Amino acid sequence: MRAELIQELQLLQNSRANKFADELADRILSSVDAVNEKVQSSMSKRGNMLMLLDKTLNFSTLRKLRNRFFKP
């Protein structure tokens, strides 16, 4: 009888520990997912801005301006 009670108590403790570990893992994973989403979003925005800048900035025009205003 006593061994059964000890075993039941151990099962209850393990169950509570697993529940707590699962909840903690879910919180950590949701935080990591939120951070990843923000980082990906900011990198995507930066990449899009750089691509637009590259598309609108014609390097031949830049070279002409440099040669015109900064003559050696």
Side-chain angles (χ1 to χ4, degrees):
M1 178 75 168
R2 185 173 177 169
E4 291 173 357
L5 288 176
I6 291 173
Q7 187 178 11
E8 189 68 31
L9 180 61
Q10 287 175 342
L11 288 173
L12 181 62
Q13 287 176 337
N14 288 340
S15 174
R16 287 182 180 174
N18 289 339
K19 182 179 177 183
F20 179 74
D22 288 343
E23 289 176 2
L24 189 60
D26 287 343
R27 285 185 197 169
I28 291 171
L29 286 176
S30 64
S31 298
V32 168
D33 288 342
V35 169
N36 282 341
E37 182 66 30
K38 287 184 179 183
V39 168
Q40 287 177 351
S41 175
S42 65
M43 288 179 70
S44 174
K45 287 178 185 176
R46 184 171 186 251
N48 286 337
M49 288 191 309
L50 289 173
M51 292 299 288
L52 285 173
L53 180 65
D54 186 45
K55 190 164 77 172
T56 57
L57 181 64
N58 188 351
F59 285 107
S60 64
T61 305
L62 183 63
R63 213 174 295 124
K64 288 177 187 174
L65 289 172
R66 187 184 67 200
N67 289 337
R68 182 175 176 190
F69 292 109
F70 297 108
K71 291 183 180 180

Short mmCIF file of all heavy atoms in Angstrom, two decimals:
data_model
loop_
_atom_site.label_atom_id
_atom_site.label_comp_id
_atom_site.label_asym_id
_atom_site.label_seq_id
_atom_site.Cartn_x
_atom_site.Cartn_y
_atom_site.Cartn_z
N MET A 1 0.83 -1.20 0.00
CA MET A 1 0.00 0.00 0.00
C MET A 1 0.87 1.26 0.00
O MET A 1 0.60 2.19 -0.73
CB MET A 1 -0.92 -0.05 1.23
CG MET A 1 -1.79 1.13 1.39
SD MET A 1 -3.13 1.05 0.20
CE MET A 1 -4.17 2.30 0.80
N ARG A 2 1.90 1.25 0.83
CA ARG A 2 2.76 2.42 0.94
C ARG A 2 3.53 2.64 -0.37
O ARG A 2 3.69 3.78 -0.82
CB ARG A 2 3.72 2.24 2.10
CG ARG A 2 4.56 3.45 2.36
CD ARG A 2 5.36 3.28 3.61
NE ARG A 2 6.21 4.44 3.77
CZ ARG A 2 6.88 4.70 4.84
NH1 ARG A 2 6.82 3.90 5.87
NH2 ARG A 2 7.63 5.77 4.92
N ALA A 3 4.02 1.57 -0.97
CA ALA A 3 4.74 1.67 -2.23
C ALA A 3 3.84 2.21 -3.33
O ALA A 3 4.27 3.00 -4.19
CB ALA A 3 5.31 0.32 -2.62
N GLU A 4 2.57 1.81 -3.31
CA GLU A 4 1.63 2.31 -4.30
C GLU A 4 1.39 3.80 -4.14
O GLU A 4 1.30 4.54 -5.12
CB GLU A 4 0.31 1.55 -4.19
CG GLU A 4 0.40 0.10 -4.62
CD GLU A 4 -0.88 -0.66 -4.35
OE1 GLU A 4 -1.82 -0.08 -3.77
OE2 GLU A 4 -0.94 -1.84 -4.71
N LEU A 5 1.30 4.26 -2.90
CA LEU A 5 1.11 5.69 -2.65
C LEU A 5 2.34 6.49 -3.10
O LEU A 5 2.21 7.57 -3.69
CB LEU A 5 0.84 5.94 -1.17
CG LEU A 5 -0.53 5.50 -0.65
CD1 LEU A 5 -0.62 5.71 0.85
CD2 LEU A 5 -1.63 6.28 -1.35
N ILE A 6 3.52 5.98 -2.84
CA ILE A 6 4.75 6.65 -3.27
C ILE A 6 4.80 6.71 -4.79
O ILE A 6 5.15 7.74 -5.39
CB ILE A 6 5.99 5.94 -2.69
CG1 ILE A 6 6.04 6.15 -1.17
CG2 ILE A 6 7.27 6.44 -3.34
CD1 ILE A 6 7.13 5.35 -0.47
N GLN A 7 4.43 5.60 -5.43
CA GLN A 7 4.43 5.57 -6.89
C GLN A 7 3.40 6.55 -7.46
O GLN A 7 3.67 7.25 -8.43
CB GLN A 7 4.14 4.16 -7.39
CG GLN A 7 4.28 4.00 -8.88
CD GLN A 7 4.04 2.57 -9.33
OE1 GLN A 7 3.57 1.74 -8.55
NE2 GLN A 7 4.36 2.29 -10.57
N GLU A 8 2.24 6.62 -6.84
CA GLU A 8 1.19 7.55 -7.28
C GLU A 8 1.66 9.00 -7.12
O GLU A 8 1.41 9.85 -7.99
CB GLU A 8 -0.08 7.31 -6.47
CG GLU A 8 -1.29 8.05 -6.97
CD GLU A 8 -1.78 7.55 -8.32
OE1 GLU A 8 -1.60 6.36 -8.62
OE2 GLU A 8 -2.33 8.37 -9.06
N LEU A 9 2.33 9.29 -6.00
CA LEU A 9 2.86 10.63 -5.77
C LEU A 9 3.92 10.98 -6.82
O LEU A 9 3.94 12.10 -7.33
CB LEU A 9 3.47 10.72 -4.36
CG LEU A 9 4.07 12.07 -3.98
CD1 LEU A 9 3.02 13.16 -4.01
CD2 LEU A 9 4.73 12.00 -2.62
N GLN A 10 4.77 10.03 -7.15
CA GLN A 10 5.78 10.27 -8.17
C GLN A 10 5.15 10.53 -9.54
O GLN A 10 5.58 11.41 -10.28
CB GLN A 10 6.74 9.09 -8.26
CG GLN A 10 7.71 9.00 -7.09
CD GLN A 10 8.56 7.73 -7.14
OE1 GLN A 10 8.23 6.77 -7.84
NE2 GLN A 10 9.65 7.75 -6.38
N LEU A 11 4.12 9.79 -9.86
CA LEU A 11 3.41 10.01 -11.12
C LEU A 11 2.77 11.39 -11.15
O LEU A 11 2.80 12.08 -12.19
CB LEU A 11 2.35 8.93 -11.33
CG LEU A 11 2.85 7.53 -11.68
CD1 LEU A 11 1.69 6.53 -11.68
CD2 LEU A 11 3.54 7.54 -13.03
N LEU A 12 2.18 11.80 -10.03
CA LEU A 12 1.57 13.12 -9.95
C LEU A 12 2.62 14.22 -10.11
O LEU A 12 2.42 15.20 -10.84
CB LEU A 12 0.84 13.28 -8.61
CG LEU A 12 0.13 14.61 -8.37
CD1 LEU A 12 -0.97 14.81 -9.41
CD2 LEU A 12 -0.45 14.64 -6.96
N GLN A 13 3.78 14.06 -9.45
CA GLN A 13 4.85 15.05 -9.58
C GLN A 13 5.37 15.12 -11.01
O GLN A 13 5.63 16.20 -11.53
CB GLN A 13 5.99 14.71 -8.61
CG GLN A 13 5.66 14.99 -7.16
CD GLN A 13 6.79 14.54 -6.23
OE1 GLN A 13 7.58 13.68 -6.56
NE2 GLN A 13 6.83 15.14 -5.04
N ASN A 14 5.55 13.95 -11.63
CA ASN A 14 6.01 13.94 -13.02
C ASN A 14 5.01 14.62 -13.95
O ASN A 14 5.38 15.34 -14.87
CB ASN A 14 6.27 12.50 -13.48
CG ASN A 14 7.50 11.91 -12.85
OD1 ASN A 14 8.37 12.62 -12.37
ND2 ASN A 14 7.58 10.58 -12.84
N SER A 15 3.73 14.38 -13.69
CA SER A 15 2.69 14.98 -14.50
C SER A 15 2.72 16.50 -14.37
O SER A 15 2.65 17.23 -15.37
CB SER A 15 1.32 14.45 -14.08
OG SER A 15 0.31 15.13 -14.76
N ARG A 16 2.84 16.99 -13.15
CA ARG A 16 2.92 18.44 -12.92
C ARG A 16 4.18 19.02 -13.55
O ARG A 16 4.16 20.11 -14.13
CB ARG A 16 2.87 18.76 -11.43
CG ARG A 16 1.52 18.56 -10.82
CD ARG A 16 1.54 18.94 -9.37
NE ARG A 16 0.23 18.75 -8.76
CZ ARG A 16 -0.02 18.90 -7.47
NH1 ARG A 16 0.97 19.23 -6.64
NH2 ARG A 16 -1.22 18.73 -7.01
N ALA A 17 5.29 18.33 -13.41
CA ALA A 17 6.56 18.80 -13.98
C ALA A 17 6.47 18.87 -15.50
O ALA A 17 6.92 19.84 -16.12
CB ALA A 17 7.71 17.90 -13.55
N ASN A 18 5.86 17.85 -16.11
CA ASN A 18 5.71 17.86 -17.57
C ASN A 18 4.79 18.99 -18.02
O ASN A 18 5.05 19.63 -19.04
CB ASN A 18 5.18 16.52 -18.06
CG ASN A 18 6.20 15.41 -17.94
OD1 ASN A 18 7.40 15.67 -17.87
ND2 ASN A 18 5.73 14.18 -17.91
N LYS A 19 3.73 19.23 -17.29
CA LYS A 19 2.81 20.31 -17.63
C LYS A 19 3.52 21.66 -17.55
O LYS A 19 3.41 22.49 -18.44
CB LYS A 19 1.60 20.29 -16.69
CG LYS A 19 0.57 21.34 -17.00
CD LYS A 19 -0.61 21.26 -16.05
CE LYS A 19 -1.59 22.37 -16.33
NZ LYS A 19 -2.70 22.38 -15.39
N PHE A 20 4.28 21.85 -16.47
CA PHE A 20 5.03 23.10 -16.30
C PHE A 20 6.07 23.27 -17.41
O PHE A 20 6.22 24.34 -17.98
CB PHE A 20 5.71 23.13 -14.92
CG PHE A 20 6.52 24.36 -14.68
CD1 PHE A 20 5.91 25.57 -14.42
CD2 PHE A 20 7.91 24.31 -14.73
CE1 PHE A 20 6.65 26.71 -14.20
CE2 PHE A 20 8.67 25.44 -14.51
CZ PHE A 20 8.04 26.64 -14.25
N ALA A 21 6.77 22.19 -17.73
CA ALA A 21 7.79 22.24 -18.79
C ALA A 21 7.15 22.55 -20.14
O ALA A 21 7.71 23.33 -20.92
CB ALA A 21 8.55 20.92 -18.84
N ASP A 22 6.01 21.98 -20.41
CA ASP A 22 5.32 22.25 -21.67
C ASP A 22 4.89 23.71 -21.76
O ASP A 22 5.03 24.35 -22.80
CB ASP A 22 4.11 21.33 -21.83
CG ASP A 22 4.49 19.89 -22.12
OD1 ASP A 22 5.66 19.65 -22.52
OD2 ASP A 22 3.63 19.00 -21.95
N GLU A 23 4.32 24.23 -20.67
CA GLU A 23 3.89 25.63 -20.66
C GLU A 23 5.09 26.56 -20.84
O GLU A 23 5.02 27.55 -21.59
CB GLU A 23 3.16 25.96 -19.36
CG GLU A 23 1.78 25.32 -19.27
CD GLU A 23 1.11 25.59 -17.94
OE1 GLU A 23 1.70 26.30 -17.10
OE2 GLU A 23 -0.01 25.08 -17.74
N LEU A 24 6.19 26.26 -20.17
CA LEU A 24 7.39 27.08 -20.28
C LEU A 24 7.94 27.02 -21.71
O LEU A 24 8.32 28.05 -22.28
CB LEU A 24 8.44 26.60 -19.27
CG LEU A 24 9.68 27.46 -19.11
CD1 LEU A 24 9.30 28.86 -18.65
CD2 LEU A 24 10.63 26.83 -18.12
N ALA A 25 7.97 25.83 -22.28
CA ALA A 25 8.45 25.68 -23.67
C ALA A 25 7.57 26.45 -24.63
O ALA A 25 8.06 27.09 -25.57
CB ALA A 25 8.51 24.22 -24.04
N ASP A 26 6.25 26.42 -24.42
CA ASP A 26 5.34 27.16 -25.29
C ASP A 26 5.59 28.66 -25.19
O ASP A 26 5.57 29.37 -26.21
CB ASP A 26 3.88 26.86 -24.92
CG ASP A 26 3.44 25.47 -25.36
OD1 ASP A 26 4.15 24.87 -26.22
OD2 ASP A 26 2.42 24.99 -24.85
N ARG A 27 5.80 29.16 -23.98
CA ARG A 27 6.09 30.59 -23.82
C ARG A 27 7.38 30.98 -24.52
O ARG A 27 7.45 32.01 -25.19
CB ARG A 27 6.21 30.95 -22.33
CG ARG A 27 4.91 30.99 -21.60
CD ARG A 27 5.14 31.47 -20.19
NE ARG A 27 4.01 31.17 -19.35
CZ ARG A 27 4.02 31.28 -18.04
NH1 ARG A 27 5.10 31.66 -17.41
NH2 ARG A 27 2.93 31.00 -17.34
N ILE A 28 8.41 30.17 -24.34
CA ILE A 28 9.70 30.47 -24.96
C ILE A 28 9.58 30.42 -26.47
O ILE A 28 10.06 31.31 -27.18
CB ILE A 28 10.79 29.51 -24.45
CG1 ILE A 28 11.08 29.80 -22.98
CG2 ILE A 28 12.05 29.61 -25.28
CD1 ILE A 28 11.98 28.78 -22.31
N LEU A 29 8.92 29.39 -26.99
CA LEU A 29 8.77 29.25 -28.43
C LEU A 29 7.96 30.40 -29.03
O LEU A 29 8.29 30.91 -30.10
CB LEU A 29 8.13 27.92 -28.79
CG LEU A 29 9.03 26.70 -28.66
CD1 LEU A 29 8.25 25.42 -28.94
CD2 LEU A 29 10.21 26.80 -29.60
N SER A 30 6.91 30.83 -28.34
CA SER A 30 6.12 31.93 -28.87
C SER A 30 6.93 33.23 -28.86
O SER A 30 6.83 34.04 -29.79
CB SER A 30 4.82 32.10 -28.09
OG SER A 30 5.08 32.46 -26.75
N SER A 31 7.76 33.42 -27.83
CA SER A 31 8.62 34.61 -27.79
C SER A 31 9.65 34.57 -28.91
O SER A 31 9.90 35.57 -29.58
CB SER A 31 9.34 34.71 -26.45
OG SER A 31 8.42 34.84 -25.40
N VAL A 32 10.26 33.42 -29.12
CA VAL A 32 11.25 33.27 -30.18
C VAL A 32 10.61 33.48 -31.55
O VAL A 32 11.17 34.14 -32.43
CB VAL A 32 11.94 31.89 -30.09
CG1 VAL A 32 12.76 31.60 -31.34
CG2 VAL A 32 12.81 31.82 -28.86
N ASP A 33 9.42 32.94 -31.74
CA ASP A 33 8.72 33.12 -33.01
C ASP A 33 8.41 34.60 -33.26
O ASP A 33 8.54 35.08 -34.40
CB ASP A 33 7.42 32.31 -33.03
CG ASP A 33 7.67 30.82 -33.17
OD1 ASP A 33 8.79 30.44 -33.57
OD2 ASP A 33 6.75 30.04 -32.85
N ALA A 34 8.00 35.32 -32.22
CA ALA A 34 7.70 36.75 -32.37
C ALA A 34 8.97 37.53 -32.75
O ALA A 34 8.93 38.40 -33.63
CB ALA A 34 7.11 37.31 -31.08
N VAL A 35 10.07 37.21 -32.10
CA VAL A 35 11.33 37.89 -32.41
C VAL A 35 11.77 37.57 -33.83
O VAL A 35 12.19 38.46 -34.58
CB VAL A 35 12.43 37.51 -31.39
CG1 VAL A 35 13.79 37.99 -31.85
CG2 VAL A 35 12.10 38.09 -30.03
N ASN A 36 11.67 36.30 -34.22
CA ASN A 36 12.03 35.91 -35.59
C ASN A 36 11.19 36.64 -36.62
O ASN A 36 11.70 37.08 -37.66
CB ASN A 36 11.89 34.41 -35.78
CG ASN A 36 13.03 33.63 -35.18
OD1 ASN A 36 14.10 34.17 -34.93
ND2 ASN A 36 12.81 32.35 -34.95
N GLU A 37 9.92 36.78 -36.35
CA GLU A 37 9.03 37.49 -37.27
C GLU A 37 9.44 38.95 -37.42
O GLU A 37 9.49 39.49 -38.53
CB GLU A 37 7.58 37.40 -36.77
CG GLU A 37 6.57 38.07 -37.66
CD GLU A 37 6.42 37.39 -39.01
OE1 GLU A 37 6.62 36.18 -39.10
OE2 GLU A 37 6.12 38.11 -39.99
N LYS A 38 9.78 39.60 -36.30
CA LYS A 38 10.20 41.00 -36.36
C LYS A 38 11.52 41.16 -37.11
O LYS A 38 11.70 42.08 -37.91
CB LYS A 38 10.33 41.59 -34.96
CG LYS A 38 8.99 41.83 -34.30
CD LYS A 38 9.13 42.50 -32.96
CE LYS A 38 7.77 42.74 -32.36
NZ LYS A 38 7.84 43.45 -31.08
N VAL A 39 12.46 40.26 -36.86
CA VAL A 39 13.76 40.33 -37.55
C VAL A 39 13.58 40.10 -39.04
O VAL A 39 14.14 40.83 -39.87
CB VAL A 39 14.75 39.31 -36.95
CG1 VAL A 39 15.98 39.16 -37.81
CG2 VAL A 39 15.15 39.72 -35.54
N GLN A 40 12.80 39.10 -39.41
CA GLN A 40 12.56 38.82 -40.83
C GLN A 40 11.87 40.00 -41.50
O GLN A 40 12.19 40.37 -42.64
CB GLN A 40 11.74 37.56 -41.00
CG GLN A 40 12.51 36.29 -40.71
CD GLN A 40 11.64 35.05 -40.82
OE1 GLN A 40 10.42 35.14 -40.95
NE2 GLN A 40 12.26 33.88 -40.75
N SER A 41 10.92 40.60 -40.81
CA SER A 41 10.20 41.73 -41.38
C SER A 41 11.13 42.91 -41.61
O SER A 41 11.11 43.53 -42.68
CB SER A 41 9.07 42.13 -40.43
OG SER A 41 8.43 43.29 -40.90
N SER A 42 11.97 43.21 -40.62
CA SER A 42 12.87 44.36 -40.77
C SER A 42 13.92 44.10 -41.85
O SER A 42 14.26 45.00 -42.63
CB SER A 42 13.55 44.71 -39.44
OG SER A 42 14.40 43.67 -39.03
N MET A 43 14.41 42.86 -41.93
CA MET A 43 15.38 42.54 -42.98
C MET A 43 14.73 42.61 -44.36
O MET A 43 15.35 43.08 -45.33
CB MET A 43 15.97 41.16 -42.73
CG MET A 43 16.92 41.11 -41.55
SD MET A 43 17.59 39.48 -41.25
CE MET A 43 18.65 39.29 -42.65
N SER A 44 13.51 42.17 -44.45
CA SER A 44 12.79 42.23 -45.72
C SER A 44 12.57 43.67 -46.15
O SER A 44 12.78 44.03 -47.31
CB SER A 44 11.46 41.50 -45.60
OG SER A 44 10.71 41.66 -46.77
N LYS A 45 12.17 44.52 -45.21
CA LYS A 45 11.97 45.94 -45.51
C LYS A 45 13.27 46.59 -45.96
O LYS A 45 13.31 47.36 -46.92
CB LYS A 45 11.41 46.68 -44.30
CG LYS A 45 9.96 46.37 -44.02
CD LYS A 45 9.49 47.09 -42.79
CE LYS A 45 8.07 46.69 -42.43
NZ LYS A 45 7.62 47.32 -41.18
N ARG A 46 14.35 46.28 -45.26
CA ARG A 46 15.65 46.85 -45.61
C ARG A 46 16.08 46.38 -47.00
O ARG A 46 16.58 47.16 -47.81
CB ARG A 46 16.70 46.44 -44.58
CG ARG A 46 18.05 47.06 -44.82
CD ARG A 46 18.98 46.79 -43.64
NE ARG A 46 20.21 47.49 -43.83
CZ ARG A 46 21.38 46.91 -44.12
NH1 ARG A 46 21.43 45.60 -44.22
NH2 ARG A 46 22.47 47.61 -44.28
N GLY A 47 15.90 45.10 -47.27
CA GLY A 47 16.24 44.57 -48.59
C GLY A 47 15.42 45.21 -49.69
O GLY A 47 15.96 45.55 -50.76
N ASN A 48 14.13 45.41 -49.43
CA ASN A 48 13.28 46.06 -50.43
C ASN A 48 13.72 47.49 -50.69
O ASN A 48 13.74 47.96 -51.82
CB ASN A 48 11.82 46.02 -50.00
CG ASN A 48 11.21 44.65 -50.15
OD1 ASN A 48 11.68 43.84 -50.93
ND2 ASN A 48 10.17 44.38 -49.39
N MET A 49 14.07 48.20 -49.61
CA MET A 49 14.54 49.58 -49.78
C MET A 49 15.84 49.62 -50.58
O MET A 49 16.02 50.48 -51.45
CB MET A 49 14.74 50.25 -48.42
CG MET A 49 13.46 50.58 -47.70
SD MET A 49 13.63 51.63 -46.25
CE MET A 49 14.90 50.83 -45.32
N LEU A 50 16.75 48.69 -50.29
CA LEU A 50 18.01 48.66 -51.04
C LEU A 50 17.78 48.32 -52.51
O LEU A 50 18.43 48.89 -53.39
CB LEU A 50 18.98 47.65 -50.41
CG LEU A 50 19.57 48.07 -49.07
CD1 LEU A 50 20.36 46.91 -48.47
CD2 LEU A 50 20.44 49.30 -49.23
N MET A 51 16.86 47.41 -52.78
CA MET A 51 16.55 47.06 -54.16
C MET A 51 15.93 48.25 -54.89
O MET A 51 16.26 48.51 -56.06
CB MET A 51 15.62 45.85 -54.22
CG MET A 51 16.26 44.56 -53.76
SD MET A 51 17.67 44.08 -54.75
CE MET A 51 16.86 43.57 -56.24
N LEU A 52 15.03 48.97 -54.23
CA LEU A 52 14.44 50.16 -54.86
C LEU A 52 15.50 51.22 -55.10
O LEU A 52 15.50 51.88 -56.15
CB LEU A 52 13.32 50.72 -53.97
CG LEU A 52 12.01 49.94 -53.97
CD1 LEU A 52 11.05 50.51 -52.93
CD2 LEU A 52 11.37 49.98 -55.35
N LEU A 53 16.39 51.41 -54.16
CA LEU A 53 17.47 52.37 -54.32
C LEU A 53 18.37 51.99 -55.48
O LEU A 53 18.74 52.82 -56.31
CB LEU A 53 18.29 52.48 -53.03
CG LEU A 53 19.46 53.44 -53.05
CD1 LEU A 53 18.97 54.87 -53.22
CD2 LEU A 53 20.27 53.31 -51.77
N ASP A 54 18.69 50.72 -55.57
CA ASP A 54 19.53 50.23 -56.66
C ASP A 54 18.83 50.41 -58.00
O ASP A 54 19.46 50.77 -59.00
CB ASP A 54 19.87 48.76 -56.43
CG ASP A 54 20.85 48.23 -57.45
OD1 ASP A 54 21.84 48.93 -57.74
OD2 ASP A 54 20.63 47.12 -57.96
N LYS A 55 17.53 50.19 -58.02
CA LYS A 55 16.78 50.30 -59.27
C LYS A 55 16.66 51.76 -59.71
O LYS A 55 16.76 52.06 -60.90
CB LYS A 55 15.39 49.70 -59.08
CG LYS A 55 14.60 49.54 -60.36
CD LYS A 55 13.42 48.62 -60.20
CE LYS A 55 12.29 49.31 -59.49
NZ LYS A 55 11.06 48.50 -59.48
N THR A 56 16.47 52.66 -58.75
CA THR A 56 16.27 54.07 -59.11
C THR A 56 17.59 54.79 -59.34
O THR A 56 17.62 55.80 -60.04
CB THR A 56 15.47 54.80 -58.02
OG1 THR A 56 16.15 54.68 -56.78
CG2 THR A 56 14.08 54.23 -57.90
N LEU A 57 18.66 54.30 -58.76
CA LEU A 57 19.94 54.97 -58.89
C LEU A 57 20.69 54.36 -60.07
O LEU A 57 21.08 53.21 -60.06
CB LEU A 57 20.76 54.79 -57.61
CG LEU A 57 22.13 55.47 -57.59
CD1 LEU A 57 21.96 56.98 -57.69
CD2 LEU A 57 22.88 55.11 -56.33
N ASN A 58 20.86 55.17 -61.08
CA ASN A 58 21.57 54.71 -62.26
C ASN A 58 23.05 55.03 -62.07
O ASN A 58 23.43 56.18 -61.87
CB ASN A 58 21.00 55.42 -63.49
CG ASN A 58 21.54 54.85 -64.77
OD1 ASN A 58 22.45 54.03 -64.76
ND2 ASN A 58 20.98 55.29 -65.89
N PHE A 59 23.90 54.02 -62.13
CA PHE A 59 25.30 54.23 -61.83
C PHE A 59 26.01 55.06 -62.89
O PHE A 59 26.96 55.77 -62.60
CB PHE A 59 26.01 52.89 -61.62
CG PHE A 59 25.68 52.26 -60.31
CD1 PHE A 59 24.84 51.16 -60.26
CD2 PHE A 59 26.16 52.79 -59.14
CE1 PHE A 59 24.52 50.59 -59.04
CE2 PHE A 59 25.84 52.23 -57.92
CZ PHE A 59 25.02 51.12 -57.87
N SER A 60 25.52 55.02 -64.12
CA SER A 60 26.13 55.88 -65.13
C SER A 60 25.85 57.34 -64.81
O SER A 60 26.72 58.21 -65.00
CB SER A 60 25.63 55.52 -66.53
OG SER A 60 24.25 55.75 -66.63
N THR A 61 24.67 57.65 -64.33
CA THR A 61 24.34 59.01 -63.92
C THR A 61 25.21 59.43 -62.75
O THR A 61 25.71 60.56 -62.72
CB THR A 61 22.85 59.09 -63.51
OG1 THR A 61 22.05 58.62 -64.58
CG2 THR A 61 22.45 60.51 -63.17
N LEU A 62 25.41 58.54 -61.82
CA LEU A 62 26.27 58.83 -60.68
C LEU A 62 27.70 59.09 -61.14
O LEU A 62 28.35 60.02 -60.65
CB LEU A 62 26.23 57.66 -59.70
CG LEU A 62 27.01 57.82 -58.41
CD1 LEU A 62 26.44 58.96 -57.59
CD2 LEU A 62 26.98 56.53 -57.61
N ARG A 63 28.17 58.31 -62.09
CA ARG A 63 29.53 58.50 -62.61
C ARG A 63 29.65 59.86 -63.31
O ARG A 63 30.65 60.58 -63.15
CB ARG A 63 29.85 57.36 -63.58
CG ARG A 63 31.30 56.98 -63.58
CD ARG A 63 31.57 55.76 -64.45
NE ARG A 63 30.92 54.54 -63.94
CZ ARG A 63 30.09 53.78 -64.62
NH1 ARG A 63 29.79 54.07 -65.87
NH2 ARG A 63 29.56 52.71 -64.08
N LYS A 64 28.64 60.23 -64.09
CA LYS A 64 28.65 61.53 -64.78
C LYS A 64 28.67 62.68 -63.77
O LYS A 64 29.41 63.66 -63.95
CB LYS A 64 27.43 61.67 -65.69
CG LYS A 64 27.49 60.81 -66.92
CD LYS A 64 26.20 60.94 -67.73
CE LYS A 64 26.18 59.95 -68.87
NZ LYS A 64 24.89 59.97 -69.58
N LEU A 65 27.85 62.57 -62.73
CA LEU A 65 27.83 63.62 -61.71
C LEU A 65 29.17 63.70 -60.99
O LEU A 65 29.66 64.80 -60.72
CB LEU A 65 26.71 63.35 -60.70
CG LEU A 65 25.29 63.56 -61.20
CD1 LEU A 65 24.29 63.09 -60.15
CD2 LEU A 65 25.05 65.02 -61.52
N ARG A 66 29.76 62.57 -60.70
CA ARG A 66 31.05 62.56 -60.01
C ARG A 66 32.13 63.21 -60.89
O ARG A 66 32.92 64.02 -60.42
CB ARG A 66 31.44 61.14 -59.66
CG ARG A 66 32.69 61.07 -58.79
CD ARG A 66 33.10 59.67 -58.53
NE ARG A 66 33.54 59.07 -59.82
CZ ARG A 66 33.62 57.79 -60.06
NH1 ARG A 66 33.28 56.91 -59.15
NH2 ARG A 66 34.05 57.35 -61.23
N ASN A 67 32.12 62.86 -62.18
CA ASN A 67 33.11 63.44 -63.08
C ASN A 67 32.87 64.93 -63.28
O ASN A 67 33.81 65.70 -63.48
CB ASN A 67 33.08 62.72 -64.42
CG ASN A 67 33.64 61.30 -64.31
OD1 ASN A 67 34.40 61.01 -63.42
ND2 ASN A 67 33.22 60.44 -65.24
N ARG A 68 31.62 65.34 -63.25
CA ARG A 68 31.30 66.76 -63.47
C ARG A 68 31.69 67.62 -62.29
O ARG A 68 32.24 68.71 -62.46
CB ARG A 68 29.82 66.89 -63.76
CG ARG A 68 29.37 68.29 -64.07
CD ARG A 68 27.91 68.28 -64.45
NE ARG A 68 27.44 69.64 -64.66
CZ ARG A 68 26.18 69.95 -64.81
NH1 ARG A 68 25.28 69.01 -64.81
NH2 ARG A 68 25.82 71.19 -64.99
N PHE A 69 31.39 67.15 -61.07
CA PHE A 69 31.60 67.98 -59.89
C PHE A 69 32.92 67.72 -59.17
O PHE A 69 33.39 68.53 -58.41
CB PHE A 69 30.45 67.79 -58.91
CG PHE A 69 29.15 68.37 -59.43
CD1 PHE A 69 28.13 67.53 -59.83
CD2 PHE A 69 28.98 69.74 -59.54
CE1 PHE A 69 26.94 68.04 -60.30
CE2 PHE A 69 27.79 70.27 -60.02
CZ PHE A 69 26.76 69.43 -60.40
N PHE A 70 33.51 66.56 -59.38
CA PHE A 70 34.75 66.22 -58.70
C PHE A 70 35.84 65.90 -59.73
O PHE A 70 36.32 64.80 -59.83
CB PHE A 70 34.55 65.00 -57.77
CG PHE A 70 33.56 65.26 -56.68
CD1 PHE A 70 32.31 64.66 -56.72
CD2 PHE A 70 33.87 66.10 -55.63
CE1 PHE A 70 31.39 64.89 -55.72
CE2 PHE A 70 32.96 66.33 -54.63
CZ PHE A 70 31.72 65.73 -54.68
N LYS A 71 36.17 66.90 -60.48
CA LYS A 71 37.20 66.71 -61.50
C LYS A 71 38.56 66.61 -60.81
O LYS A 71 38.90 67.43 -59.96
CB LYS A 71 37.20 67.86 -62.48
CG LYS A 71 35.98 67.87 -63.35
CD LYS A 71 36.03 68.98 -64.37
CE LYS A 71 34.77 68.94 -65.22
NZ LYS A 71 34.74 69.98 -66.22
N PRO A 72 39.36 65.62 -61.22
CA PRO A 72 40.69 65.49 -60.59
C PRO A 72 41.66 66.55 -61.06
O PRO A 72 41.60 67.14 -62.04
CB PRO A 72 41.16 64.10 -61.04
CG PRO A 72 40.19 63.57 -62.02
CD PRO A 72 39.04 64.53 -62.09
#
